[in-house]
C-alpha cells in the first residue's frame, strides 16, 4: 500500500490517526504507529510540558514515526510549536486554524508538516507556505468541523494543490478508504474508528456509546457561536440545541460544554459529557486493537483496489 504519503512519512500504510483532544495520548499514538500507520499525540489545550512528556513516553513504546497534532486555538500553541522541534518529532499536523507563522521553523527543524484544512483556499495557502501535504477534513468528522463534505471537499483540494492530499471525515472501513483513493487522496485520517479501540485510554461508556450509535445520532452544537462541534446526541446536546434555537448567547451556552470532553473521556459521563464523534459512528460495531483495525482496513482496501493501478 505504498503511496506518496507512506514515502513522505516513512510508514507502512497511509493511515493516520486523528489528533483527538483528550483521546490521542501516547498509548494510542504508539499503538497506531506500531501497527504500521501514523499515530498522533493530540496537544489540544494541554500545556507544552504535558506534550513533551507524552512525546517522550511514546518514544519508549515505539521506534516507528509518530506525530503531534497542534490545536491552533490553544493558548499554549506557541509553546507546543517549540516543543515539537526540540523533541525531534517527525510529523506535525495542525487543526482549527492557520499554522502559517510556524511553518518555516518546523521545516527548518526537518519536520513534515501536514495542516488539516476544511477549504480549498486554506489548502492552497498551506501549499504556498511549504506544507508537505494537507488533510482535507469533511464535515462528517467529529469535533470542530468545517461546512463541506468529504465527498465534495477532497476532489476539489486534489485539483487545487500538487502536494499529497489525505482524506478525513466519514471513513472507518476499506470501502471508505478505497473511495478516498478514487477521489484522488493518497492517504486517509481516521478518528472515531480509533476511539473505539482497545488501546484508546477512553472510558468504556464512551466507547460503548460509539458502538451503540446509529447513522443519525450525531449533532452539531455551536453553529451559532462560530465553533461548530460534532458530538453524539445526549441530554446536554438536546438542551444546548434548544437554547441555541432560542437565540442564547455564547455565555449562556458555554457552561454546558466546559469540561465536557474530559467528563466524557475520563468519567464516562454520557449524559452531560461532550462525546465528540464523526457521523461514521453508526458503522462502528466493535472495539478491536489498533493492529486488528489496521489489518482489517488494509485487507478490505486491497481487495477493492486490486487492478485499479492506483497503488501496488
Ligand atoms: O481541529 C479539528 N478538530 C477538532 S479541534 C477540537 S478541540 C475543540 N474543542 C471544542 C471547541 C473547539 C475546538 C476538536 N476537534 N479538526 C481540524 C479542522 N480544522 N477542522 C476545521 C478546521 C479549520 C477551520 C477553520 C481549519 C482552519 C480554519 O480557518 C483557518 C483560518 O483561515 O483561520
Amino acid at each position: 500500500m505504498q503511496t506518496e504519503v507512506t514515502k513522505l512519512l516513512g510508514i507502512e500504510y497511509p493511515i493516520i490517526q486523528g489528533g483527538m483532544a483528550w483521546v490521542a495520548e501516547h498509548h494510542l499514538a504508539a499503538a497506531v504507529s506500531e501497527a504500521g500507520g501514523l499515530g498522533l499525540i493530540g496537544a489540544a489545550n494541554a500545556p507544552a510540558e504535558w506534550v513533551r512528556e507524552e512525546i517522550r513516553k511514546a518514544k519508549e513504546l515505539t521506534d516507528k514515526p509518530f506525530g503531534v497534532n497542534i490545536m491552533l486555538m490553544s493558548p499554549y500553541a506557541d509553546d507546543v510549536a517549540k516543543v515539537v522541534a526540540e523533541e525531534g518529532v517527525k510529523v506535525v499536523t495542525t487543526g482549527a486554524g492557520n499554522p502559517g507563522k510556524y511553518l518555516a521553523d518546523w521545516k527548518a527543524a526537518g519536520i513534515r508538516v501536514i495542516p488539516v484544512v476544511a477549504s480549498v483556499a486554506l489548502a492552497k495557502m498551506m501549499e504556498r507556505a511549504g506544507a508537505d501535504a494537507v488533510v482535507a477534513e469533511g464535515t462528517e468528522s467529529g469535533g470542530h468541523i468545517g461546512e463541506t463534505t468529504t465527498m465534495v471537499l477532497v476532489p476539489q483540494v486534489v485539483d487545487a494543490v500538487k502536494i499529497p492530499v489525505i482524506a478525513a471525515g466519514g471513513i472507518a472501513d476499506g470501502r471508505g478508504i478505497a473511495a478516498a483513493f478514487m477521489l484522488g487522496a493518497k492517504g486517509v485520517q481516521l478518528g472515531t474508528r480509533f476511539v473505539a479501540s482497545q488501546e484508546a485510554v477512553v472510558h468504556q461508556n464512551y466507547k460503548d456509546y460509539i458502538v451503540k450509535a446509529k447513522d443519525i445520532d450525531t449533532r452539531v452544537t455551536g453553529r451559532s457561536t462560530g465553533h461548530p462541534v460534532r458530538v453524539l446526541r445526549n441530554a446536554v446536546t438536546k438542551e444546548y440545541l434548544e437554547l441555541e434555537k432560542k437565540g442564547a448567547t455564547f455565555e449562556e451556552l458555554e457552561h454546558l460544554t466546559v469540561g465536557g470532553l474530559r467528563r466524557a473521556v475520563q468519567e464516562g459521563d454520557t449524559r452531560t459529557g461532550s462525546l465528540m464523534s464523526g457521523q461514521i459512528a453508526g458503522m462502528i460495531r466493535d472495539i478491536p486493537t489498533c493492529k486488528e483495525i489496521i489489518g482489517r482496513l488494509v485487507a478490505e482496501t486491497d481487495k477493492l483496489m486490486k487492478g485499479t493501478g492506483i497503488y501496488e
Side-chain angles (χ1 to χ4, degrees), residues 41-56 68 70 74-87 89:
I41 291 163
N45 279 310
E49 289 312 307
W50 179 86
V51 180
R52 193 191 301 280
E53 285 307 309
E54 288 295 308
I55 294 166
R56 292 182 178 176
V68 172
I70 304 184
S74 165
Y76 305 108
D78 286 351
D79 298 332
V80 177
K82 291 193 193 92
V83 164
V84 292
E86 287 163 9
E87 295 296 318
V89 168

Side-chain angles (χ1 to χ4, degrees), residues 118-133:
S119 69
V120 168
L122 189 60
K124 286 165 85 168
M125 205 186 295
M126 293 299 97
E127 177 177 54
R128 277 200 301 276
D132 295 285

Side-chain angles (χ1 to χ4, degrees), residues 206-227:
Y206 194 158
K207 295 183 188 180
D208 291 343
Y209 213 76
I210 290 175
V211 169
K212 275 199 225 112
K214 297 197 175 56
D215 54 347
I216 56 172
D217 283 345
T218 71
R219 294 289 182 272
V220 178
T221 58
R223 287 204 194 276
S224 67
T225 67
H227 294 294

Side-chain angles (χ1 to χ4, degrees), residues 123-173:
K124 286 165 85 168
M125 205 186 295
M126 293 299 97
E127 177 177 54
R128 277 200 301 276
D132 295 285
V134 288
V135 175
E137 190 182 277
T139 194
E140 297 93 323
S141 307
H144 178 64
I145 50 170
E147 283 290 341
T148 310
T149 61
T150 303
M151 178 80 102
V152 169
L153 181 67
V154 171
Q156 293 189 78
V157 173
V158 166
D159 286 348
V161 298
K162 293 194 182 70
I163 53 177
V165 176
I166 296 159
I171 305 173
D173 71 0

Side-chain angles (χ1 to χ4, degrees), residues 264-286:
V265 173
Q266 297 196 331
E267 294 170 17
D269 181 349
T270 55
R271 210 179 60 81
T272 78
S274 171
L275 295 117
M276 294 188 188
S277 167
Q279 290 183 331
I280 205 68
M283 212 170 72
I284 292 170
R285 299 205 180 83
D286 56 3

